[in-house]
Amino acid sequence: MSSSSTPTPTPTTTTTKVAFQSSAFPPPLAPYSPAIAVGGFLFLSGQIGQTPEGVMMEGVVEQTKRVFTNIELVLASANLTLSDVVKVTVFMQNMSDYAAINEVYAKAFENHAPFPARSAVEVARLPKDALVEIEVMAKMSEPSK
């Protein structure tokens, strides 16, 4: 097949990246953005169970609840909610915490059906020795034409 018969891609969305920051959610622990919007999606960096003031919650249930508070705050900065989430990745220090994390997770998404696609993995260690970290991808509204 010659290169002349290869179709030229036509851009359908902008490749401009927009970063989201707010004092309402915890600041990044390293050089990254809490969320980046590009191509009609919002990609959230992993959230851990700490407050904007840097206080880490105690225990996996309280950390998971705070993670979802943080996720909702970041989503809100882009005018989104948990209903817009299409993919979730859960990182946990101990797979024995799966049931406890899953209970909080189910409650967080109970009014946002259907549940998003999800992966859950056990990791050796998380930032600030968190017990759980969750990252999400959300679909942004189609622009008005």
Side-chain angles (χ1 to χ4, degrees):
M1 180 180 220
S2 72
S3 62
S4 63
S5 64
T6 305
T8 305
T10 305
T12 56
T13 59
T14 180
T15 56
T16 302
K17 296 187 297 184
V18 178
F20 289 83
Q21 283 279 32
S22 171
S23 59
F25 43 85
L29 300 174
Y32 62 83
S33 298
I36 291 284
V38 65
F41 289 91
L42 184 69
F43 299 88
L44 274 69
S45 295
Q47 296 293 311
I48 60 174
Q50 74 172 12
T51 66
E53 299 77 31
V55 176
M56 183 64 78
M57 306 308 289
E58 292 291 326
V60 72
V61 170
E62 292 306 311
Q63 283 189 24
T64 307
K65 288 177 182 177
R66 183 66 218 193
V67 165
F68 276 103
T69 297
N70 294 343
I71 288 169
E72 289 180 290
L73 289 168
V74 177
L75 289 169
S77 73
N79 296 315
L80 300 174
T81 70
L82 289 174
S83 294
D84 299 301
V85 173
V86 295
K87 174 69 170 84
V88 177
T89 305
V90 179
F91 304 94
M92 62 193 87
Q93 258 196 4
N94 190 331
M95 196 57 80
S96 298
D97 291 332
Y98 185 83
I101 292 167
N102 212 39
E103 188 174 319
V104 176
Y105 180 98
K107 186 161 181 57
F109 281 105
E110 71 184 348
N111 295 318
H112 304 283
F115 287 116
R118 182 177 87 171
S119 301
V121 296
E122 181 181 63
V123 297
R125 195 167 182 203
L126 292 166
K128 296 190 87 172
D129 290 319
L131 302 173
V132 61
E133 179 175 351
I134 300 175
E135 65 180 25
V136 305
M137 180 190 331
K139 179 73 172 114
M140 300 182 83
S141 298
E142 296 295 328
S144 301
K145 295 186 179 183

